[in-house]
Amino acid sequence: MRLFKIILGVAVVGILGFLGIKEIIADPVYFLELFLGGLTRGSIYALIALGYTMVYGIIQLINFAHGEIYMIGAMTALIVASVLGLWGWNSAVIVILAFVFAIVYSCAYGFTVEKIAYMPLRTAPRLSALISAIGMSLFLQNYVMLAQTSEYMPFESLIPDFKFWEPFSHIITSVEMTIIVTTVIVMILLGILIKFTKIGKAMRAAAQDKIMASLVGINVNRVISTTFVVGSATAAIGGVLIACHVGQINFYIGFLAGLKAFIAAVLGGIGSIPGAVLGSLVLGISESMFTGYFWSEYEDVFAFSILVIILIFRPSGILGRDETSKV
């Protein structure tokens, strides 16, 4: 079986590599546009997938309400930007405040969701926590739909067109460049938080063994709540950025984006932060290439097919391990 997987993998990579080289030679500019578009898409997936993988790394729970936190971040930014725009505030101030309010509001929701839906079920069977997560996702969707509207709402881009970027705008827009750069900055800051701060060390300790972590004085419940807050912050940033890129939002945008980010986390290795980033980029670029060279209407089918293939041939993901995943 192992030999079959290796042969099949080499055959698939060889075929895709041959087709890719052929397309690059035929139209390199179009290929570059697709690649950068996929990189942009993958960056958004990464910002959401980080929340999935950080939470799973500590409590082995898939937070299916995480996509709705992403949606709430985008909704909050829209409301703040609309109100401040009516008041005639400076555009730069609007951008900053929209991001700040989106992050703070999403973090508050992430913290509250953890306390209400997950903390009481800490010692319950995993199925109970899973049902609670799905229920919270549906609740947040319908709550936002009733509080706002079920229709798509226009979202004016908060990111201006940079003049210095005009020579490259036909390949990658200033919004897409901002998304990629912002994602890189967030990844660096998150890496610093996990590796060098006290709370980051506590997260890693709780991920390895929650009981031993509590015995050495770590407040595990506080660490878990902080993990939800950090994941919510990255999702909120992703929500605002993708809303600027797409130009419209509604109450349902978090559902599919959350599923795609979950696929990316599984693809990279659920519980692994580098794996979440790698899986997101691989998924985003693969989707972009598939829609650009084959059938755009089957984009979602392609993404879920990747999930099925990964679960069959490598359930632990690209960077995952067979043992319990760690942050």
Side-chain angles (χ1 to χ4, degrees), residues 54-86:
M54 290 175 66
V55 169
Y56 184 85
I58 294 179
I59 61 176
Q60 282 72 56
L61 167 69
I62 301 299
N63 177 20
F64 281 113
H66 191 60
E68 277 54 58
I69 301 297
Y70 156 91
M71 175 268 294
I72 287 172
M75 283 286 184
T76 304
L78 173 62
I79 295 171
V80 172
S82 300
V83 172
L84 297 182
L86 291 175

